[in-house]
Amino acid sequence: MEYDLKVLKINKNKIEQLNELSIYTVKDLVQHYPYRFEEMLETPLHDESKVIIEAQLIDEPKIFYKGRFSRLTFHVNYHEEPLTITIFNRHFLKKNMQVGMMLTIIGKYSASKKAITASDLKLKNLKEISGITPVYSLKEGLTQKSFQGYVNKALNFYKGHIANTIPLYLCQKYHLIDKEDALFKIHQPQTRSDVISALRYLKYEEFFKFQMTMQYIKQNRTQNIGISKLIDKEKVTHFIEKLPFQLTDDQKKSH
């Protein structure tokens, strides 16, 4: 059964934004799969590369404004080496930042400046946020965090009522997990193996549906081979005799 997004108590404006992604029902929401996954693991510092590090805040962050934009700058201690961190339009984080706390910083590293231009900043250590994060294709106005919240609502709404499309004997033969498990693992993965097992089911399901559709079309064509028509040859001959011209040899053969 199809359920309107209103059952999830989503704001009307947000529903309109979801509609722009062709998401109109709860089912549409759980079938809007991530297009990639980000794994929160610490990386080494390579010049001009994306890095993820855990470091300790060692001074009071400073905020600089230019028009509508803001720049938050501070320093961290990373393996006994000070680094300068800059992140834009996150001035609101300052009130929760205290000297000595551990931070997780994601951004681009510059070896010459001993600095990172951050794209994201987590006010937690890496252990607390480690794992795999799904990333969705969204439109302006929807954040990854808010969309993940809507998906979680949809999954909990359907929990216990998601049936397998693939027959049980095929799931057992090819070692596929249940569809409900696949949906939870694709949207809420804990490990890389969760993503792999979820994709195995969902890809096989897509292939299975395609094959079933092709078999249905083939069977339907076989059963409906057309309607036979009875032609009165005497009437045709009589009609030809009244024509004011002679048929060619090819026309005579065709009739």
Side-chain angles (χ1 to χ4, degrees), residues 26-45:
V26 179
K27 183 179 178 181
D28 292 338
L29 193 52
V30 297
Q31 290 184 338
H32 189 83
Y33 303 129
Y35 74 94
R36 66 183 176 89
F37 297 86
E38 287 185 347
E39 196 163 6
M40 295 294 287
L41 297 174
E42 190 162 14
T43 64
L45 294 181

Side-chain angles (χ1 to χ4, degrees), residues 231-242 255:
I231 299 174
D232 190 330
K233 291 187 176 181
E234 288 187 7
K235 288 184 178 181
V236 173
T237 302
H238 183 66
F239 173 76
I240 291 173
E241 289 175 350
K242 289 187 175 183
H255 111 268

Side-chain angles (χ1 to χ4, degrees), residues 91-186:
H91 53 275
F92 52 85
L93 293 175
K94 180 182 177 180
K95 63 180 182 292
N96 296 316
M97 297 173 70
Q98 299 175 353
V99 174
M101 74 186 299
M102 297 302 293
L103 306 172
T104 298
I105 302 150
I106 304 164
K108 188 175 182 180
Y109 174 64
S110 170
S112 62
K113 297 179 181 178
K114 297 292 183 184
I116 295 175
T117 301
S119 58
D120 201 2
L121 175 65
K122 309 289 186 183
L123 307 186
K124 298 178 180 179
N125 60 46
L126 192 56
K127 186 177 180 180
E128 292 181 79
I129 59 173
S130 61
I132 298 179
T133 304
V135 180
Y136 300 88
S137 176
L138 303 176
K139 292 195 174 184
E140 188 176 353
L142 287 170
T143 65
Q144 294 292 329
K145 185 177 180 180
S146 63
F147 187 83
Q148 181 74 63
Y150 302 147
V151 171
N152 291 343
K153 280 186 176 182
L155 288 171
N156 290 328
F157 178 82
Y158 270 139
K159 191 174 183 179
H161 301 282
I162 301 173
N164 282 348
T165 303
I166 303 170
L168 179 59
Y169 79 93
L170 287 176
C171 288
Q172 293 173 341
K173 181 178 180 180
Y174 295 107
H175 307 288
L176 302 173
I177 62 176
D178 291 338
K179 181 170 185 176
E180 184 167 305
D181 287 341
L183 290 174
F184 271 89
K185 286 182 176 181
I186 201 69

